[in-house]
Amino acid sequence: MKLLLRISGLIFLLAVTPFSLVRAQQTQNVILVTLDGVRWQEVFSGADSTLLFDAAYSPDTASARKFFWAANPQERRKLIFPFLWNTVVKEGQLYGNRLKGSKVNTSNPYWFSYPGYNEILSGYADERIKSNDKIDNPNTTVLEFLNNKPDFKGKIAAFSSWDVIEAAVNERKTGIYASAGNELIEKPKTATDSLLNSMMTTVPPQVWDKTVRPDFLTYYAAKNYLLQNRPRVLFMQFDETDGLAHAGRYADDLRMINAADAFLADLWKTVQQIPQYAGKTTLIVTTDHGRGHTPKATWKGHGTKTPDSYQLWFAVIGPDTPPTGEQSGGPVLFQNQLAATLARLLGHEFKCEHPVGPPVLTVLKR
């Protein structure tokens, strides 16, 4: 009888205890990565033949065919995203294949970069943020929210190719370390620090925007910081994928997406070799906005004048995410849900002065 009463009491306790306290929390670190302006169409179907075989967008069509063309979409997408499809989808989750009824949208009405990054980071579509001007974000982001927690103070960092991201995380207000654009490493301490600074000084910035540094420099600067400082939350933004698309260079854009996938593979391998991160880290990968698709020339652009560029995708892999792979159907998900999802993975409920989208509960163990 006493045993039955104890069991009944335990069941009651589990029923009234908050979700975050019941589940066995394994995620202790989160890495958030954005690939600027990468369409869901390439993620799920691979190269678009109308662009890949058009010399106006892919001048060396023979080379483009060799690297990125295959008989079916399932093969083509793996040519661009081998890590995403061979590792993340097998061990995690991928959302946004509209051909299978999985939909992810922006909730902001603008469909371009800064409004998207604000929505990702703050969980709030703020109509005041309606340009790409480098203005400090007035909204509390999930990074700031966590940085105000004792366990995360000083353990959050952002690395971005686009210099506006330091305003999106509001580095001046929050004190969160944000290496953005052509920013050098202050007070280099190691030979690697000095080498990275030398490369950032001598490698020219992107021709389409002098404030954008090459993505490979952003990646290796972020990796170097991770190895030296062991942050618990790391945000990385890659930008060349958007710049090459605006320039109409489709084959080069696919090569850059493929390089970003390789960065993710290297990063995931690296964290699995470090005790602080191995088996305790969740990786979230997404984009800030979509692009046009019909007519094909609209692939170069996005924004409210470009239909369907509100359409997104995201992927998650980590110890608290069931390995259910590519998603089908389900409710429409929104960009504003990613901030709360990130916080929930770390055992916190993201609350602040503005509304926040709810976490994506299918990403979490129940």
Side-chain angles (χ1 to χ4, degrees):
M1 185 64 179
K2 289 182 179 179
L3 178 60
L4 288 174
L5 288 173
R6 288 174 183 170
I7 293 173
S8 299
L10 178 59
I11 292 172
F12 175 78
L13 180 62
L14 292 174
V16 300
T17 302
F19 171 84
S20 60
L21 298 179
V22 172
R23 70 189 188 86
Q25 186 74 41
Q26 292 179 272
T27 298
Q28 297 179 18
N29 317 279
V30 171
I31 300 172
L32 170 65
V33 180
T34 57
L35 311 182
D36 200 299
V38 173
R39 296 192 303 183
W40 68 269
Q41 287 92 337
E42 275 72 25
V43 173
F44 294 99
S45 298
D48 181 334
S49 61
T50 67
L51 294 166
L52 193 70
F53 301 142
D54 185 334
Y57 300 101
S58 306
D60 187 350
T61 54
S63 176
R65 177 186 291 272
K66 175 182 177 182
F67 286 105
F68 299 116
W69 190 250
N72 61 66
Q74 290 73 30
E75 294 178 36
R76 290 198 298 272
R77 64 195 187 186
K78 288 184 179 181
L79 294 176
I80 304 173
F81 290 100
F83 172 71
L84 183 70
W85 284 101
N86 293 326
T87 300
V88 177
V89 173
K90 289 182 179 179
E91 300 175 20
Q93 299 177 3
L94 177 60
Y95 295 80
N97 189 349
R98 304 178 92 87
L99 300 175
K100 292 188 173 183
S102 176
K103 297 180 180 180
V104 184
N105 298 338
T106 68
S107 55
N108 78 76
Y110 303 114
W111 314 349
F112 60 88
S113 291
Y114 196 172
Y117 287 114
N118 167 67
E119 188 174 338
I120 291 169
L121 295 173
S122 73
Y124 174 56
D126 188 346
E127 295 191 8
R128 295 175 298 175
I129 299 179
K130 54 185 178 181
S131 76
N132 280 336
D133 295 341
K134 191 176 178 180
I135 299 171
D136 284 341
N137 193 342
N139 300 303
T140 296
T141 69
V142 69
L143 304 183
E144 179 181 358
F145 168 80
L146 290 169
N147 195 55
N148 288 333
K149 304 290 183 185
D151 289 349
F152 292 90
K153 188 71 175 179
K155 298 178 182 178
I156 297 174
F159 283 78
S160 62
S161 298
W162 189 37
D163 75 324
V164 175
I165 295 300
E166 68 183 6
V169 304
N170 204 336
E171 181 182 26
R172 286 191 291 188
K173 172 193 172 188
T174 64
I176 292 171
Y177 181 74
S179 170
N182 298 307
E183 184 177 344
L184 300 178
I185 299 170
E186 292 187 8
K187 299 178 181 178
K189 299 176 182 178
T190 68
T192 302
D193 293 343
S194 299
L195 175 60
L196 284 165
N197 276 354
S198 178
M199 294 173 72
M200 284 189 275
T201 302
T202 57
V203 175
Q206 299 305 342
V207 295
W208 55 80
D209 189 339
K210 300 301 183 183
T211 66
V212 175
R213 73 177 159 203
D215 285 343
F216 83 93
L217 290 176
T218 295
Y219 173 64
Y220 285 107
K223 181 180 178 181
N224 180 56
Y225 184 91
L226 180 142
L227 292 172
Q228 289 185 15
N229 298 283
R230 302 291 200 267
R232 291 193 60 189
V233 180
L234 179 63
F235 170 40
M236 283 189 283
Q237 183 263 358
F238 297 124
D239 197 78
E240 288 185 76
T241 48
D242 188 63
L244 289 166
H246 283 304
R249 295 163 57 181
Y250 188 69
D252 288 337
D253 190 44
L254 295 184
R255 291 186 181 96
M256 194 62 243
I257 297 171
N258 182 244
D261 181 86
F263 298 155
L264 295 175
D266 180 68
L267 179 66
W268 194 242
K269 179 180 178 181
T270 298
V271 299
Q272 302 313 316
Q273 296 171 347
I274 300 172
Q276 176 186 326
Y277 296 109
K280 305 169 188 175
T281 302
T282 292
L283 171 66
I284 302 172
V285 187
T286 189
T287 188
D288 53 330
H289 56 74
R291 316 196 74 82
H293 60 91
T294 305
K296 65 181 180 181
T298 62
W299 161 76
K300 294 172 61 177
H302 53 86
T304 53
K305 294 183 179 179
T306 306
D308 299 338
S309 53
Y310 63 87
Q311 298 173 353
L312 309 173
W313 57 275
F314 72 88
V316 185
I317 181 173
D320 294 302
T321 299
T324 53
E326 182 182 4
Q327 304 296 299
S328 300
V332 177
L333 300 175
F334 292 92
Q335 192 173 51
N336 67 9
Q337 296 182 252
L338 294 174
T341 304
L342 188 158
R344 181 66 69 86
L345 283 161
L346 291 167
H348 292 278
E349 185 177 359
F350 180 28
K351 289 185 176 181
C352 58
E353 78 285 351
H354 56 70
V356 173
V360 181
L361 295 181
T362 48
V363 165
L364 302 142
K365 288 179 181 176
R366 298 195 188 188

